[in-house]
Amino acid sequence: MLFKNVLKTLGKKWLQLMAIGIIIILSSMIFTMMFYGVSGIEGPTEDYLDDYRQEDFSVDMLQVISPDEDLPSGISELAAEGIYTLRGIKEESPELFDELIDTRAAAIQDAFPGAELELRPTKTAEETIDGEHRKTLILKDADAINQTYVEEGRMPESDDEIGIARIYAEKNGLQLGDSLTVRGKVYTITGFVLFPDYTLLMFENMLNIDPGLQTTVLMTDPAYESFSAQETFRFAGAAEDSDSIDTAFDRENLPYVTQVLDTANNMRSGGIYLELSSSKTTALGLSIFIAAIAVIIVSIMIYNILQAERGQIGILKALGYSRRQIASPYLLSIMVMAFIMLAAGYVFGLFLAEPLRDLYLEFYLLPSVEISQQLIVFAIAIVVPFAFFTAVAGLIISKILSDGPLVLLHPPQNPSVNRLTRLVGKLLKNANAQTKFKYLQAVKSTGSFLIFFTGIMFSTILIIFALMMSGMVDRLTVDVYEQSDFQYQAFINPEEEPPELRDEDDIFLQYPYAQLEGEAVTLHGIETDNRLYHLFDASGRDLTSYLDDGAVITKSLSIKQNISTGDRIFVQLSQDEIELAVKAVADEYVSDTIYVDIEKLSLLLTDGERADLYTGIYAANEPDDEAYAAVISKQSMIDTAQSIDGFISLMTTIMIAGAAVISGSILFVLTSFTVEKNYYTISLLKVMGYSRREVNSMVLNSYFVYAVLSYLVSLPVAILSMDFMMTLFAEEYGVIIPLDFQPSYVIWSFLVIVIIFFVSTWISRRKITKVPLQEVLKTYQE
Amino acid sequence: MIILTNVTKTYSNGDVTTHALKNINLTIEDGEFIVILGPSGSGKSTLLNVISGLDTVTSGEIMFNSTGLTSLSESEMTAFRREHLGFIFQQYNLLQNLNVFDNIQIGADIGKDPLDGPELLKAVGLEGAGNKYPHQLSGGEQQRVSIARSLAKNPDIIFCDEPTGSLDEHNSKNVLAMLQELNYNYHKTIVLITHNAGIAEMADKVIKMNSGEITELIMNKAKKSAREISWG
């Protein structure tokens, strides 16, 4: 009978229960989804990286000889002939190259005693196939460090066989045994392979990764060596007895080393560690935050229900019902509801974990296994919050039931006011009574107010973050390309005579081996009066003419090295150090590039002997594909970048929708509680002659003002957090995440909050309208 | 002046129809102190509700001066209450978040010609208590705040629903004395419902009710002051 009565009471609050249910489901779902999604990768990843000896650190080095390093005899002669790049030396004399590498390795090993080193050469091929810009990173099988993992199939054994990433094959409908053409040569796919040092396939620190357009490729040693493409060399290192080493080194002893990167701080190989740990922390943090909101809201609801039923409970106690008998139906109902919601969240989470895992595996090149349920996840997602709900609900119920029948039948009429009320009261000292009532109304319950305030803050931050993410890909790449007038970029083959230039083409000179503050940078020479490739700042101002007086650097370089307009920088070339004045910062995030006048760069690179060097052209019309080493269409680059836009848009939508659901549920539950708790007050105000609009305003509009206040507090918090994140990624990983805050986002995010507010309080407004005037004549309770 | 003509009020609950008011005819003159007496279920609260516009009539007419209250829309009725009516309840219904002064002021805020807050505080004997919150006051003091609040917007009529129901004799007489002062000094019409027959001794007109009907209408020729009435 009692149980039936409680169910009836709860049934009247089905909308509130539903909103609370959503919050409970979300808390359990997020945790389960993220934990299983991530755990689905974590276990096999750790085993794989361990078994296949992922590098503990990586030594990046100059791709040219340094004037300050000990050079094997014979190298200087090659340098005198103009052959000073590692690639050039390797092509000219493999023996001398090996000697040079051995010398460097020995010096590095001296600096890092006990470390094991292995040269890790890679080649990069870019090409446009059927209008799509494809990138390929070609590797050969390593001996000891970063060994190849064959997921399926076998290693390539002949020169016309290759292994590729499974995700690339899936995205392109390729299977084992199928053919794949790379740079005009047809290869047979013999296996799906992974490399422990490329858990994230990054080209030039760029994060816009389309797994369907870029892949790692494993070739046999001879096939690799005969493949003509840009080659880069670095050392992979294994520490002797621990997973990490001290990456500091003496630049005088190792003048050719640009950086020594611990794997944990290397986005390419170790980004997955950050991803796994941060995902778990986020999952737990977010779930605890949402669950805490749910627990507090449920507590408020139970308190309200019991307060409303004090009389009934008092009568039951007077009739001789025990506390346990009265409490059981309430507690049991809450327990059943909480368990069902938590279990539903767990099931949804489990269901969504697989797509989440697959989403990870779209970007991270890692082995995958089936998700298996774990007792610990079940416990954290269901048992722990369930125990909390039960304990808190039990405490509140037992506290109210501890009162005697008479006290329950005659509740105290005048609850004292909380500190927040006194504080706001003081702030509103000179306001009129209506205004005071309005703003004191929402702070009457400290707990409810804090939930409301943090809920809005959380939503605002999520919405701002989502908006700042939008257009990220455009800012990374598309904007730069779209501002330029060239349609094609072609690179000349350094081993061949350059093709004849057409009148409409503009030349450029790229030197990717420069160093700035120990970091590799690219010097890029263009003509200041060129027609096809201009530089622009964030406001669209043309900066190209600034090259007459100095250099223009990219935004990416500016952020990473904290360089601003007006600074002087010292750039290390192969032999010399040059000083450049930074005249402007171009709004480019693609690479760490210093733009200079092409003639000046040519003279610098040739010790003043030649002013007409160039390495490629910008063209409006398609150049002869045969005449150049590579011809890349601008449109294909834009398409490649934009292919990830769908994913970003999906993320943005999910974040805004998530923010709306959480804050909407909180707002709905709290405002409807407010109306219920203020039934008598609302009736009183109506009786006194306050109009419906005035009552609405007095009871609910203060929430709006506080929502705006919370929103305003959240804005700087959101922007600073994003700023912190951008700096962290730039400094720790050298990766630029161009989140951008536009003033218009203030309006957009505010509109979203306003819409959420008015939609979620609509029912409460209707409830206010329905409060009868006679209510005030009943026993008054506040 | 309020005139009720053939006012009836019935409530239906399924097949059961309750006649809360049966053919009530009544005139309330400006400045009168009226006490409506009757046992529980007699219809006195319903009568107060319909006169004050808190509830609608099933049939009949209520006129306030030249205004027909029964034909007013909800918003017109709200405006009418706002301008002309004040209320005092058994439960003082003070707003717990507001201090005494603001509780009074919230009444004054909607008045066309409100009375001065500090003066009202003084009138109800609560000078110096303006910054106190309701929980810091005794029941009698809270009812005095409630009286001051009802008076603050300067209404023509004040409806009192068992205003002494929660108070002891001493505090009750203080409150009643105050209502009498409002009636004398501020020329307010007072309509008071009560179980307590003693209070009828201070009224100009006593309306006795039973089973939804006015059973007796007494014009009190020798009304007493609040201090003189018998209690119990």
Side-chain angles (χ1 to χ4, degrees):
Chain A
M1 189 64 191
L2 288 182
F3 195 75
K4 207 173 159 186
N5 178 49
V6 170
L7 284 184
K8 212 173 158 187
T9 307
L10 290 175
K12 285 179 195 164
K13 298 182 182 300
W14 68 274
L15 259 175
Q16 290 170 0
L17 287 173
M18 216 168 78
I20 295 171
I22 290 172
I23 300 174
I24 298 175
I25 287 174
L26 272 177
S27 76
S28 162
M29 188 187 85
I30 289 172
F31 180 78
T32 310
M33 177 183 76
M34 292 187 77
F35 206 98
Y36 279 143
V38 175
S39 297
I41 303 168
E42 192 179 24
T45 295
E46 281 174 356
D47 293 344
Y48 150 63
L49 296 177
D50 214 31
D51 294 347
Y52 289 83
R53 296 202 65 205
Q54 186 190 44
E55 60 191 14
D56 295 326
F57 64 96
S58 163
V59 181
D60 292 347
M61 55 188 173
L62 284 180
Q63 301 297 304
V64 292
I65 52 171
S66 163
D68 303 322
E69 71 176 303
D70 294 333
L71 293 169
S73 57
I75 297 276
S76 304
E77 285 76 6
L78 286 178
E81 290 170 30
I83 301 168
Y84 55 86
T85 64
L86 298 187
R87 188 162 57 115
I89 295 167
K90 186 182 173 186
E91 279 164 8
E92 191 63 28
S93 169
E95 297 77 22
L96 269 181
F97 172 78
D98 287 344
E99 219 177 310
L100 174 67
I101 291 300
D102 287 347
T103 311
R104 283 189 174 186
I108 294 166
Q109 258 167 336
D110 282 347
F112 299 98
E116 183 185 344
L117 291 177
E118 183 175 344
L119 185 70
R120 188 63 161 162
T122 54
K123 288 184 176 177
T124 311
E126 292 188 43
E127 57 191 326
T128 302
I129 302 171
D130 298 332
E132 287 181 324
H133 182 63
R134 290 178 184 265
K135 288 181 179 178
T136 316
L137 184 80
I138 299 124
L139 299 110
K140 49 186 183 178
D141 190 24
D143 290 334
I145 305 169
N146 299 322
Q147 293 164 359
T148 312
Y149 169 63
V150 182
E151 261 193 296
E152 198 181 336
R154 60 170 176 80
M155 301 269 265
E157 287 165 2
S158 65
D159 293 357
D160 59 354
E161 290 180 341
I162 54 170
I164 61 170
R166 177 198 290 277
I167 185 73
Y168 183 80
E170 282 175 4
K171 294 275 174 185
N172 290 284
L174 296 168
Q175 290 175 342
L176 295 181
D178 285 355
S179 298
L180 180 68
T181 306
V182 185
R183 280 276 177 85
K185 188 172 176 189
V186 179
Y187 296 89
T188 303
I189 304 164
T190 61
F192 297 139
V193 294
L194 294 170
F195 304 94
D197 49 343
Y198 287 94
T199 57
L200 190 61
L201 183 50
M202 294 177 64
F203 290 88
E204 293 172 352
N205 294 340
M206 278 175 65
L207 263 179
N208 59 333
I209 300 156
D210 188 322
L213 291 175
Q214 59 184 43
T215 182
T216 45
V217 162
L218 175 70
M219 287 185 181
T220 60
D221 287 8
Y224 174 88
E225 297 301 347
S226 65
F227 189 85
S228 175
Q230 171 88 28
E231 189 172 23
T232 310
F233 304 92
R234 64 178 170 81
F235 284 106
E240 189 181 22
D241 50 8
S242 71
D243 284 347
S244 61
I245 55 152
D246 180 2
T247 54
F249 63 96
D250 184 350
R251 289 195 186 276
E252 275 190 27
N253 290 339
L254 303 172
Y256 41 81
V257 173
T258 55
Q259 64 175 349
V260 179
L261 257 181
D262 195 8
T263 292
N265 293 322
N266 192 339
M267 199 73 182
R268 162 177 60 74
S269 51
I272 186 65
Y273 294 115
L274 175 78
E275 183 68 60
L276 292 173
S277 62
S278 65
S279 292
K280 277 186 165 180
T281 313
T282 310
L284 196 63
L286 211 58
S287 308
I288 289 175
F289 174 72
I290 298 171
I293 287 176
V295 167
I296 299 170
I297 291 182
V298 168
S299 314
I300 295 170
M301 188 185 75
I302 300 167
Y303 182 81
N304 287 351
I305 290 174
L306 292 179
Q307 283 297 341
E309 302 205 337
R310 281 180 77 104
Q312 270 193 59
I313 296 168
I315 291 166
L316 290 172
K317 278 193 104 174
L319 287 172
Y321 278 90
S322 70
R323 270 166 69 171
R324 192 181 55 77
Q325 280 174 310
I326 301 169
S328 300
Y330 290 104
L331 191 59
L332 205 63
S333 306
I334 297 298
M335 284 168 72
V336 168
M337 186 194 93
F339 187 82
I340 290 172
M341 297 304 174
L342 288 167
Y346 180 84
V347 173
F348 288 143
L350 189 63
F351 181 71
L352 291 170
E354 208 166 292
L356 179 72
R357 180 204 59 191
D358 293 344
L359 194 64
Y360 274 111
L361 294 178
E362 289 243 329
F363 297 99
Y364 290 101
L365 299 173
L366 298 168
S368 163
V369 288
E370 288 303 306
I371 290 170
S372 55
Q373 294 192 55
Q374 296 168 32
L375 197 63
I376 182 80
V377 181
F378 184 84
I380 298 174
I382 298 182
V383 180
V384 174
F386 178 70
F388 255 97
F389 277 113
T390 309
V392 173
L395 268 173
I396 293 168
I397 293 168
S398 79
K399 188 170 183 305
I400 291 177
L401 291 186
S402 65
D403 287 337
L406 283 177
V407 178
L408 287 164
L409 283 165
H410 301 288
Q413 291 290 313
N414 299 314
S416 59
V417 293
N418 60 12
R419 282 184 186 177
L420 203 54
T421 299
R422 287 178 193 277
L423 178 76
V424 179
K426 277 180 190 165
L427 292 174
L428 296 170
K429 203 176 167 186
N430 297 319
N432 65 25
Q434 268 188 59
T435 310
K436 280 184 188 165
F437 176 85
K438 191 168 158 180
Y439 293 108
L440 291 172
Q441 183 60 28
V443 297
K444 210 152 73 174
S445 158
T446 314
S448 302
F449 182 73
L450 286 179
I451 292 173
F452 161 78
F453 203 83
T454 48
I456 296 289
M457 270 189 88
F458 172 76
S459 300
T460 305
I461 292 172
L462 218 57
I463 292 164
I464 292 280
F465 186 33
L467 289 172
M468 284 169 81
M469 267 174 64
S470 63
M472 188 165 90
V473 177
D474 286 353
R475 283 191 292 281
L476 260 175
T477 48
V478 178
D479 285 353
V480 178
Y481 296 137
E482 284 186 341
Q483 279 176 340
S484 307
D485 292 325
F486 77 91
Q487 293 304 321
Y488 296 91
Q489 195 177 6
F491 295 87
I492 60 172
N493 192 334
E495 292 155 20
E496 294 169 10
E497 197 59 29
E500 198 168 324
L501 284 174
R502 301 175 297 186
D503 287 345
E504 69 266 28
D505 296 339
D506 282 326
I507 55 169
F508 65 80
L509 172 59
Q510 211 170 45
Y511 182 76
Y513 309 118
Q515 237 185 324
L516 179 64
E517 297 291 329
E519 304 284 339
V521 293
T522 298
L523 283 170
H524 193 96
I526 54 174
E527 295 163 307
T528 51
D529 59 350
N530 86 81
R531 295 151 296 179
L532 300 173
Y533 194 85
H534 282 218
L535 306 170
F536 297 93
D537 68 6
S539 60
R541 189 165 53 109
D542 195 330
L543 309 171
T544 320
S545 61
Y546 284 77
L547 298 180
D548 284 333
D549 307 317
V552 173
I553 63 168
T554 55
K555 184 83 177 166
S556 155
L557 185 60
S558 160
I559 294 171
K560 282 185 199 167
Q561 299 219 8
N562 198 20
I563 306 167
S564 311
T565 303
D567 289 353
R568 300 193 78 77
I569 52 175
F570 297 90
V571 183
Q572 182 72 48
L573 297 183
S574 61
Q575 308 289 328
D576 314 298
E577 187 177 75
I578 56 165
E579 186 181 355
L580 293 168
V582 176
K583 292 291 171 187
V585 177
D587 195 36
E588 271 188 48
Y589 295 90
V590 181
S591 59
D592 301 339
T593 298
I594 302 168
Y595 288 97
V596 287
D597 175 64
I598 191 167
E599 271 187 39
K600 285 178 194 161
L601 181 59
S602 179
L603 288 167
L604 281 169
L605 294 175
T606 58
D607 282 336
E609 285 178 19
R610 286 183 64 178
D612 60 348
L613 274 188
Y614 70 97
T615 54
I617 60 162
Y618 293 114
N621 300 310
E622 190 170 3
D624 179 7
D625 198 29
E626 298 293 316
Y628 288 91
V631 175
I632 299 162
S633 116
K634 182 173 88 172
Q635 193 53 48
S636 69
M637 287 192 273
I638 291 173
D639 292 345
T640 304
Q642 282 181 334
S643 62
I644 205 167
D645 253 5
F647 171 72
I648 299 279
S649 300
L650 178 71
M651 290 293 287
T652 309
T653 312
I654 288 174
M655 286 169 83
I656 293 180
V661 168
I662 292 171
S663 59
S665 302
I666 292 172
L667 269 167
F668 167 67
V669 173
L670 290 182
T671 53
S672 59
F673 281 165
T674 301
V675 173
E676 280 174 15
K677 282 186 82 175
N678 288 288
Y679 233 55
Y680 294 93
T681 307
I682 292 164
S683 178
L684 173 71
L685 291 170
K686 285 182 169 184
V687 166
M688 284 170 76
Y690 281 94
S691 67
R692 196 168 61 186
R693 208 171 152 189
E694 284 169 328
V695 176
N696 260 326
S697 155
M698 287 166 80
V699 177
L700 290 180
N701 283 10
S702 60
Y703 278 102
F704 181 67
V705 175
Y706 288 119
V708 172
L709 195 68
S710 169
Y711 167 80
L712 291 175
V713 171
S714 314
L715 269 182
V717 174
I719 296 166
L720 288 175
S721 315
M722 300 313 138
D723 225 40
F724 172 75
M725 202 175 87
M726 280 169 70
T727 313
L728 182 83
F729 269 79
E731 287 177 357
E732 294 290 316
Y733 296 102
V735 172
I736 299 296
I737 303 173
L739 297 171
D740 184 40
F741 183 79
Q742 300 282 334
S744 62
Y745 295 165
V746 176
I747 298 165
W748 286 117
S749 52
F750 183 69
L751 275 178
V752 174
I753 292 287
V754 169
I755 291 167
I756 293 170
F757 181 86
F758 283 103
V759 168
S760 52
T761 55
W762 181 74
I763 292 174
S764 302
R765 284 172 201 280
R766 279 179 56 101
K767 268 188 174 178
I768 287 180
T769 311
K770 287 180 180 170
V771 173
L773 293 165
Q774 298 89 340
E775 195 67 33
V776 75
L777 302 174
K778 296 179 185 169
T779 304
Y780 178 61
Q781 287 175 356
E782 197 176 63
Chain B
M1 185 165 66
I2 302 173
I3 302 170
L4 282 77
T5 313
N6 299 326
V7 170
T8 62
K9 176 73 184 176
T10 55
Y11 295 105
S12 290
N13 188 5
D15 296 335
V16 184
T17 303
T18 309
H19 296 276
L21 295 177
K22 297 173 191 165
N23 211 29
I24 300 287
N25 290 289
L26 177 68
T27 301
I28 299 169
E29 301 286 349
D30 289 347
E32 272 188 330
F33 193 120
I34 290 178
V35 169
I36 305 172
L37 273 176
S40 292
S42 61
K44 57 185 191 299
S45 286
T46 310
L47 181 62
L48 183 133
N49 287 352
V50 296
I51 301 174
S52 60
L54 300 185
D55 206 350
T56 54
V57 297
T58 307
S59 65
E61 197 173 46
I62 302 172
M63 295 293 290
F64 176 82
N65 296 333
S66 57
T67 309
L69 300 187
T70 44
S71 59
L72 294 182
S73 67
E74 193 194 320
S75 58
E76 286 168 336
M77 197 62 224
T78 301
F80 172 76
R81 275 199 309 275
R82 187 182 186 117
E83 195 172 339
H84 300 287
L85 310 185
F87 292 88
I88 298 166
F89 306 97
Q90 178 180 352
Q91 304 298 331
Y92 329 113
N93 292 358
L94 298 185
L95 303 170
Q96 303 299 323
N97 282 339
L98 299 183
N99 63 25
V100 167
F101 185 78
D102 292 328
N103 260 291
I104 295 170
Q105 208 55 40
I106 205 150
D109 279 353
I110 49 170
K112 276 188 179 170
D113 180 24
L115 300 176
D116 182 53
E119 198 180 298
L120 281 169
L121 266 179
K122 196 176 164 188
V124 296
L126 288 170
E127 273 176 299
N131 287 325
K132 284 188 177 175
Y133 283 91
H135 72 274
Q136 295 168 311
L137 302 177
S138 70
E141 287 171 325
Q142 287 189 57
Q143 192 60 300
R144 280 191 270 160
V145 177
S146 164
I147 291 170
R149 181 180 64 192
S150 72
L151 189 63
K153 66 178 176 183
N154 203 5
D156 301 314
I157 311 166
I158 296 175
F159 291 96
C160 311
D161 183 10
E162 299 276 10
T164 58
S166 302
L167 301 175
D168 59 20
E169 183 182 342
H170 174 72
N171 276 310
S172 292
K173 285 189 172 176
N174 282 343
V175 165
L176 290 170
M178 213 160 282
L179 291 174
Q180 212 162 31
E181 273 178 45
L182 296 184
N183 182 238
Y184 289 145
N185 300 339
Y186 293 90
H187 309 291
K188 304 296 175 194
T189 306
I190 307 280
V191 179
L192 186 151
I193 62 172
T194 181
H195 290 95
N196 192 336
I199 297 174
E201 294 169 12
M202 55 185 277
D204 294 311
K205 193 185 280 176
V206 180
I207 300 162
K208 288 191 176 177
M209 291 194 71
N210 205 351
S211 303
E213 291 175 307
I214 296 177
T215 52
E216 199 177 353
L217 190 71
I218 305 164
M219 302 303 289
N220 195 356
K221 300 288 181 197
K223 60 179 190 178
K224 294 178 179 174
S225 75
R227 311 279 174 209
E228 295 168 332
I229 60 170
S230 50
W231 196 255

